[in-house]
Amino acid sequence: VVVASIPNVAAWPVRLALLRGAFDYTDVGLMDRTHLRWFTRASAHRLARSAGFEVERERYSPIEQPPGRPRRALPRATDVAVKVALRAWPGLMAQQFVLRLRPCD
């Protein structure tokens, strides 16, 4: 079994930065300068298949953001909203894809 944590280049903060003409690395987080390659959900799945694995399970981690006014005022409601959005639009809302992989038969 392989567990891979893969950064999502199609997450909304990256898309927004690209619209502004920026692709700046940071010390931590999604744009961490230690990330060597970038993936979308589909390209991460293709990478796993091309390496001889099948995706057994997939989870998503939410985008790390400092708490704003809505989160401070309504923490439970914003937690629920984030979880709903993450399930509905993982390619847009996930900071990373966590894939549990098994070798193909």
Side-chain angles (χ1 to χ4, degrees):
V1 172
V2 174
V3 176
S5 176
I6 300 170
N8 177 19
V9 73
W12 71 264
V14 178
R15 291 179 189 211
L16 186 60
L18 286 170
L19 284 172
R20 292 191 316 258
F23 193 82
D24 300 322
Y25 290 95
T26 60
D27 292 328
V28 296
L30 185 56
M31 297 299 293
D32 187 317
R33 67 184 83 255
T34 65
H35 293 157
L36 302 178
R37 290 190 56 196
W38 297 92
F39 298 90
T40 63
R41 185 173 178 227
S43 66
H45 283 241
R46 282 194 304 274
L47 175 69
R49 281 192 305 274
S50 71
F53 292 92
E54 61 181 315
V55 177
E56 182 180 81
R57 187 173 194 168
E58 181 177 34
R59 297 280 176 113
Y60 316 108
S61 68
I63 296 166
E64 296 173 6
Q65 293 286 318
R69 189 174 295 177
R71 176 137 176 89
R72 287 192 300 269
L74 302 164
R76 278 188 199 228
T78 54
D79 281 349
V80 169
V82 165
K83 287 177 184 175
V84 167
L86 195 55
R87 285 189 191 115
W89 304 290
L92 188 62
M93 300 301 292
Q95 177 165 313
Q96 62 187 3
F97 307 114
V98 182
L99 307 178
R100 181 181 166 123
L101 307 171
R102 288 224 177 259
C104 293
D105 293 331

